[in-house]
Amino acid sequence: MPDWEKRFRAPRIGLPEWAEYAPDRSLFVSNATGTFELYAWDRATGTQRQATDRPHGTTDGTLTPDGEWIWWFSDTDGDEFGIWMRQPFAGGPDEPAAPGLDASYPGGLAISRDGTAVIGRSTDEDGSTVHVVRPGEKPVEIYRHRESAGVGDLSHDGSLIAIEHTEHGDAMHSAVRVVRPDGTTVAELDDTDGGTKELGLSVMGFAPVDGDSRLLVGHQRRGRWEPMLWDPLTGVETALEIDLPGDVGADWYPDGSALLVEHAYQARSELWRYDLGTPRPGTDTAADAPAGPLSRVATPVGTVSGATARPDGTVEFLWSSAAQPPEVRSTDGTVVLDPPGMKAPGSVPVTDAWVDGPGGRIHALVQQPPGAGPFPTVFDIHGGPTWHDSDSFASSPAAWVDHGFAVVRVNYRGSTGYGRAWTDALKHRVGLIELEDIAAVREWAVASGLADPERLVLAGGSWGGYLTLLGLGAQPDAWALGLAAVPVADYVTAYHDEMEALKAMDRTLLGGTPEEVPERFEASSPLTYVDAVRAPVYISAGVNDPRCPIRQIENYVQRLEQRAHPHEVYRYDAGHGSLVVEERIKQVRLELDFAQRFLKTEAERTN
């Protein structure tokens, strides 16, 4: 078995979640059976069992605070439209967790210690709704709006509910409303000032202590994401002195005495502890808390994809780098979970490239095979678009490196992690802005001797797939090949067919609907440029995808067929990607085969 396949097949484990009042009970995601599913883990006995078993996999689940129940989201064939189910932690039959709520797209979930659940939903017909579901009672709707909204958190005593909403119409910058369980408003925090300012807020969680109504809120007031404390009962806001560059997130330590700070900067991340000066259990005064406020939590160089503070004060975190496969580690020096079976081979480390672009310096991550360039080079474009590539382990780029390709990943304008202005630059000229940054990095890669200008591959999934198709048409002389997975291909049709939450995002990005700003949708749609495409095109698509629906992809493919343009399409029975390992391997194998058939080698070009 080649190393690239081993990386996919090797068992992986996600960061375990633990129940607040039963910390020995945990839930994690693993691909141990060949499909990503949820697993229950009793730490006290060491017992593990597979909790879900579905043909298309399951990854969305949580534990009730008492650890008695596993909640998991049941959709149909990856379409993301379904209901919450639950089963006993120790095992037993599944049952609807909230009888009376019809199927929907999920919009957040919070569960209190008495079993009351707050469930966010989204449908094309109703927009966003929030419901309170008490044990044995019918669901009660407490919120409804056409724009995007979702459940942020539930206070420790169950008396306050935080809702993130975009009633002002800007889907990229949420406001926060705190309500009572009956839906009455307690307080509102809106940095957008009614949608006139591009300043977002995010709910990071209520204090995990009875009688403490403080809410940890992320804000962008200083040009980046960082946390603050807000008490919706008093209106008091408390700034936190966290002097770190880049974006900063946070979560509570279980006793409420400190925050676990996740710091992301230049495609890498690290952890810190921020002491709040509040007493720990068994102490009387804030003076008994350790001095601080900010102290480093030791993690290796790379990317922390998630972290949680345990009741004993240790921190568990999921870590990887481009060269080293992921591990769930603890600050006590141990590996928390070591899956049995084959271990994933490592890959080559990334190097950093900083390139001057039309909107500022662009950060790119580069991996290259042994030997001297120029190499055939894959520009692997990330999705989102509000996401970023990082120094973390990824099996697909490693597969290309194994086959002699260099891989370049570009954190174009619109990416997170480089400040609010960089992310918010993606407006109105959607797609074209990102392609300008990709073009600048492409020119650097060729000029530096890294990339063979005759063998440049543009590739990506989701938004990266969209940019691939757009780039093949808008920059036809730049690329020798295109590989687009679950892409936006026909922006107007995609808008009309996609889930409601994405419609709201598109209205924000483009400034309106296709009927209101048709010229912007036309300028940003790959279908507009399809007749200019020169490179062979490979497209893979999930037939149940609610984000990049199949009909708009078929429209694009029909245009390629009318031109008899070289292309191949692979349709598979899933949604926006697959949770089945063999399906993922099949898709990478098809992409590798397509590239090897259509890219001429240097010898072939010479002869």
Side-chain angles (χ1 to χ4, degrees), residues 529-534 558-565:
Y529 309 91
V530 64
D531 291 338
V533 173
R534 297 182 182 180
Q558 288 172 10
R559 290 283 293 274
L560 292 176
E561 291 173 343
Q562 291 168 6
R563 293 177 53 207
H565 184 79

Side-chain angles (χ1 to χ4, degrees), residues 161-191:
I161 299 166
I163 297 173
E164 289 186 19
H165 72 83
T166 58
E167 295 175 6
H168 47 267
D170 182 350
M172 292 182 68
H173 302 94
S174 296
V176 175
R177 179 174 301 150
V178 173
V179 302
R180 298 286 187 189
D182 63 1
T184 57
T185 298
V186 175
E188 179 93 12
L189 198 60
D190 181 10
D191 281 6

